[in-house]
Amino acid sequence: MKPSQLPKRAGVGFKPEHFRSIIDAPQPPKHRTEKREPVFGTIRCENKNPEHRADSDFLHDALGFFEVHAENYMGAGGPPHAQLSKLREDYALSVHGVGLSIGSMQPLDQDHLARLKTLCDRYEPESFSEHLAWSSHDTVFLNDLLPLPYTPETLNHVANHIDQVQNTLKRQMLLENPATYITFTESTLEEVDFLTELVARTGCGLLLDVNNVFVASTNHQLDPRIYLARFPLTHVREIHLSGHSETKDDHGAPLLIDSHDTPVKDPVWTLYEEVLARTGPVATLIEWDNDVPDWPTLRLEAQCAQVLLNQAAQSRAA
């Protein structure tokens, strides 16, 4: 089974409207043939204090990889594949699934899994990941990532599904912790224990979404630091950062929505720094899927993450 092996740098979710800006920019060294040492330069970052400055070398090579949603590339050809093929010449690639319905109590869609295998065989991504969620029932597909109760029964189903995916793809899958808005009285396991047991049973890795931790903890009136203190960080191979929107529930309590439509919020940056202090550098993606900004704005978010990755690397080297 091929392990997940993204470079321990900042990346972004690829958006077709940014393709020309990306291609026109100076390209990084070929990621397959040249190992690059960490750059300890820093950059002015609106989200961070104190003020940072970066040298031109850091600006040139801030991006370590791109991530795409698998379901957007399951056709045979056309502009999506032409663009992705061009990016793949210069950048590492993460394929992120949103439609496998790993958490479903029903069997996996074998046609969908076959299309996913074709995609991964075509591009040989450094990483494949999916969500701890379900999104389909019988022939109905729900355009959302829905939560599941954490019980021994669901644990068995999810573990079997992960085994099927990894055996089919012949590569390690990363599983992402969810942003949730409800809990189930049927649950007998904590989410962290559920994820830890899945890793032990299947050998999968984990994708730690720090924004999801903050969103779910706020919604359920929990402490995100307690959650992260118990999270099996040694199995994390990728981190996601994104923005969220803020509202209130019917009782006037804070309700956060994992909306991916704003810059990363300060509390999430803080949690991210604390995670890196424990793990050292980990491949980190900036997700911005709605109200997508221009390329310089999105790249700046990635550079903010790269600042903290560089600092984590420097601390480890000291």
Side-chain angles (χ1 to χ4, degrees), residues 12-298:
V12 299
F14 171 63
K15 298 294 180 287
E17 58 263 40
H18 296 149
F19 177 72
R20 182 46 54 190
S21 296
I22 296 166
I23 294 303
D24 289 345
Q27 299 304 303
K30 298 291 185 180
H31 62 84
R32 295 179 185 80
T33 60
E34 182 172 333
K35 180 179 179 181
R36 184 174 176 78
E37 295 302 317
V39 179
F40 298 131
T42 51
I43 185 171
R44 172 74 169 86
C45 182
E46 293 176 359
N47 299 83
K48 304 303 301 175
N49 284 310
E51 182 172 296
H52 301 295
R53 291 185 298 274
D55 55 37
S56 60
D57 187 51
F58 170 68
L59 289 170
H60 255 217
D61 197 24
L63 287 181
F65 65 99
F66 283 99
E67 185 162 286
V68 297
H69 286 172
E71 288 70 17
N72 291 337
Y73 296 87
M74 288 186 171
H81 283 290
Q83 292 180 346
L84 188 56
S85 295
K86 180 61 177 175
L87 290 180
R88 192 69 177 103
E89 294 175 5
D90 295 300
Y91 290 96
L93 178 65
S94 170
V95 171
H96 190 50
V98 296
L100 266 179
S101 204
I102 288 288
S104 173
M105 298 298 281
Q106 296 184 314
L108 294 178
D109 183 331
Q110 294 302 308
D111 291 337
H112 188 96
L113 186 56
R115 290 191 292 271
L116 178 61
K117 176 173 170 50
T118 297
L119 177 66
C120 289
D121 288 347
R122 179 172 184 172
Y123 289 103
E124 287 293 328
E126 277 73 13
S127 182
F128 169 71
S129 54
E130 250 287 358
H131 300 80
L132 180 58
W134 63 278
S135 56
S136 62
H137 183 73
D138 289 333
T139 60
V140 177
F141 179 78
L142 305 167
N143 191 27
D144 210 339
L145 298 168
L146 301 172
L148 57 153
Y150 298 135
T151 67
E153 184 181 9
T154 54
L155 179 65
N156 288 336
H157 275 281
V158 174
N160 288 336
H161 287 169
I162 292 173
D163 283 340
Q164 288 181 49
V165 173
Q166 293 186 145
N167 289 336
T168 298
L169 301 183
K170 294 181 171 49
R171 62 177 61 241
Q172 183 184 44
M173 188 187 91
L174 305 186
L175 190 65
E176 179 180 342
N177 59 293
T180 55
Y181 310 94
I182 62 170
T183 57
F184 294 88
T185 56
E186 295 90 344
S187 292
T188 58
L189 296 167
E190 297 291 334
E191 183 173 285
V192 169
D193 297 325
F194 194 91
L195 289 166
T196 300
E197 182 62 21
L198 285 173
V199 171
R201 290 194 189 188
T202 69
C204 73
L206 296 175
L207 190 166
L208 172 61
D209 191 312
V210 180
N211 185 65
N212 285 358
V213 172
F214 184 74
V215 165
S217 296
T218 300
N219 291 343
H220 304 314
Q221 300 180 12
L222 302 172
D223 186 339
R225 289 185 172 87
I226 293 177
Y227 179 97
L228 289 169
R230 298 190 60 239
F231 200 88
L233 293 177
T234 55
H235 298 286
V236 171
R237 300 294 178 262
E238 184 182 352
I239 292 174
H240 276 187
L241 301 174
S242 63
H244 57 260
S245 55
E246 304 174 17
T247 184
K248 294 185 182 297
D249 65 17
D250 292 342
H251 303 286
L255 177 65
L256 303 186
I257 307 298
D258 181 36
S259 52
H260 295 193
D261 59 358
T262 71
V264 179
K265 302 295 179 67
D266 284 347
V268 176
W269 282 121
T270 299
L271 291 175
Y272 175 58
E273 288 184 86
E274 293 172 3
V275 167
L276 291 183
R278 295 168 59 195
T279 63
V282 177
T284 300
L285 180 85
I286 299 295
E287 290 187 293
W288 201 325
D289 298 318
N290 299 302
D291 296 334
V292 177
D294 59 16
W295 175 241
T297 301
L298 182 58

